[in-house]
Each structure stands twice: as C-alpha cells, then as structure tokens.
Amino acid sequence: MCNPKCSKYVLIVVNIIFILLGLGLLIPGILVVVNDDGINDNILPALQQVDFGVSNFGDLAKGLSITLIVMGSFVLVLSMMGACGACCESKLLLVVYIIVVGILFLGKLVIVILWIVFKADVESKLREELKLGLKKFTNDDLTTHEVSTGWNYLNMNFECCGIDAVTALSTGNDYTTTAWYGAATTEVPLSCCPGVTSSSYVAGSASSVACTSNKGTLPVGHYSKGCYDALKDFANTYSIAFICVGVFILLVEIAAIIFACSLCKNIGKDHVV
C-alpha cells in the first residue's frame, strides 16, 4: 500500500479523473435535452401513452436525461469533496466520501446486473407497449389530435414508419390496427414519406412521387425502418458513451475507496477535523 503522501496525491489524481467522468455524464445529458431532433415536446404526448412499469415511456425518456444531468453534477460535487479531503487530510470529509462512493458503487453494480438479466424482457415488453400506444393514432395531420401529432413527428424526426418496419399488408403494417386506418385512403400516414416536413404538412403541400401508398397496396418509397429500431438506435448512440463512462467510473470508484481508506487510516490524530 502507498504511504500517506502517495495515497494523498493518487486520491487527488483519482478525483480529477472523477471530475472528467462527471462531465462525461453531464454534457451528453444536456445534449439529449436540447436536441430538438430527438425526443422533443412534439413527440412526448405519443410516448406518454406507452405504459412502462409504473410510469410511461415518454416521461422515462425525458427523465433519463435529467437523471444523467443530476448524476453528473453529483459526481462533480463528490469529486471536489474527495479532493478537498485529500488536500486538507480531513478524516471527516474522507469518511463521508468513502461511504457515499461505496453506496454509489454498489447501486451501479446492482443496476448493471439487473439490466443484463432483464434486458431482453424489457425490450420485448417495450415493443409490445409501443404497438398498443400506436393504436391510439387517429389523425394523419399535425393539428387535430395531440397523440396522433406525436406519432407523426416521431416518424419525421426519426425517419421511421410503424413500430416494426412496414414490409407487408395487414400483418406487416402496424397502422392497420389503428382507428385512423378505417377511414384512410393510404396504407401509411404521410409522415412515413421522406422529405415531408412540419411546415409542408401543415400547409397540405407535402408530396413525394417516390412515396406511394394507396390503401390496399404495399407502400413504396416510405421509411424502411420501424420506429422501435429507430428509437433503439437513437438510444445506442448515447448508451455506448454512457456504458464506457459508467464502467470507467466503477473502476475509478474502487481506486478512490482504496486510496481514501489508506489515507484516512494513516492520518495522525493531530490532523483530525
């Protein structure tokens, strides 16, 4: 084990790394919140109809980014506490630091284990709940019905169509089970067509000769990706960074606990605060 001086400087370096990792959670969380092309206020009403445990998918998706911001801020504060405890050789700060870091480590470890065990079940359940939510789609426009508007914005923002990709009539088209489909003249909504924007949608001038979808015929030229896969890909673009940061944080937390305990043990009684 390092001598007290070595433990002190290593702990300071560990907490500088902690500061960088805190920023690694904080900055992506902020980017998700401000990214208007992602899950924005136009899409939320649709996703809030999708049940997910005791909450709904919309609130969870929005809350996750807020959680990352809070966690990043908390890690920054915690790292400063650890650095101050090491610099000042304060047993009180170091003991509090060790306890909090230990709790965080165990909590993250439990979450990782639960995610590995239940990941497949969660993804399967989410797909089915999204299909149930889409059944509330009633209007192919952006003004009449808030939930329908949300689904249309989801199609446009994520360049997707249906929950699963629309590859066949009836069983291969999730829209056939919606209230909208009964009176529809097309097989899929206009929002499934590339090039359609919110401004042209509202103006009623959106058109695409390459996107034909007369009712009863297999759509051509529509977005080929289902919205479940599009949402999953969107989450993966951020989750890879979060997983890397999370694993590194776990390793840094182990080092922080070891060197904080070493320093705390070797601080003389005359240094106690």
Side-chain angles (χ1 to χ4, degrees):
M1 185 67 67
C2 287
N3 59 45
K5 196 171 209 178
C6 172
S7 297
K8 175 179 177 178
Y9 291 123
V10 171
L11 189 56
I12 292 173
V13 171
V14 164
N15 281 285
I16 290 174
I17 296 173
F18 244 145
I19 291 174
L20 297 176
L21 293 175
L23 291 174
L25 292 174
L26 182 62
I27 294 174
I30 294 173
L31 289 176
V32 173
V33 171
V34 302
N35 183 7
D36 198 50
D37 292 329
I39 300 177
N40 56 32
D41 291 338
N42 291 321
I43 295 174
L44 275 178
L47 297 184
Q48 285 170 339
Q49 303 301 310
V50 179
D51 292 332
F52 198 79
V54 296
S55 185
N56 62 76
F57 184 63
D59 288 344
L60 284 175
K62 201 69 176 177
L64 179 60
S65 55
I66 303 299
T67 301
L68 290 171
I69 293 173
V70 172
M71 283 183 61
S73 302
F74 183 73
V75 170
L76 288 176
V77 172
L78 183 63
S79 60
M80 291 177 187
M81 178 190 294
C84 289
C87 289
C88 301
E89 298 187 10
S90 168
K91 274 192 174 181
L92 177 59
L93 283 177
L94 288 173
V95 169
V96 173
Y97 176 78
I98 291 167
I99 293 172
V100 175
V101 171
I103 293 172
L104 283 177
F105 176 80
L106 292 175
K108 289 172 188 172
L109 198 58
V110 169
I111 291 172
V112 169
I113 293 172
L114 289 175
W115 175 246
I116 292 172
V117 172
F118 295 109
K119 183 174 184 263
D121 291 338
V122 169
E123 290 182 349
S124 175
K125 177 68 173 175
L126 178 57
R127 187 191 293 270
E128 293 306 313
E129 290 297 334
L130 283 169
K131 289 184 178 182
L132 289 175
L134 184 64
K135 288 184 178 182
K136 298 175 183 178
F137 182 80
T138 59
N139 296 84
D140 185 9
D141 60 46
L142 303 181
T143 57
T144 307
H145 189 255
E146 186 182 46
V147 173
S148 299
T149 295
W151 285 110
N152 284 324
Y153 269 107
L154 180 67
N155 289 342
M156 292 187 291
N157 283 16
F158 286 84
E159 299 185 350
C160 59
C161 186
I163 304 307
D164 292 322
V166 179
T167 56
L169 299 176
S170 186
T171 56
N173 182 2
D174 294 323
Y175 289 102
T176 59
T177 62
T178 67
W180 162 79
Y181 190 79
T185 58
T186 58
E187 193 67 20
V188 294
L190 184 60
S191 56
C192 286
C193 295
V196 175
T197 64
S198 58
S199 57
S200 59
Y201 219 118
V202 173
S205 59
S207 62
S208 174
V209 294
C211 182
T212 56
S213 60
N214 292 328
K215 191 173 181 180
T217 62
L218 186 65
V220 176
H222 63 293
Y223 290 125
S224 60
K225 180 180 289 188
C227 290
Y228 173 81
D229 287 334
L231 286 168
K232 187 175 179 179
D233 289 345
F234 173 76
N236 285 340
T237 59
Y238 292 97
S239 64
I240 292 174
F242 293 145
I243 290 171
C244 292
V245 171
V247 170
F248 200 24
I249 284 179
L250 288 175
L251 296 175
V252 172
E253 284 173 342
I254 294 173
I257 292 172
I258 292 173
F259 287 103
C261 288
S262 175
L263 179 58
C264 192
K265 179 181 178 181
N266 289 287
I267 291 176
K269 293 183 179 180
D270 55 323
H271 288 92
V272 177
V273 174

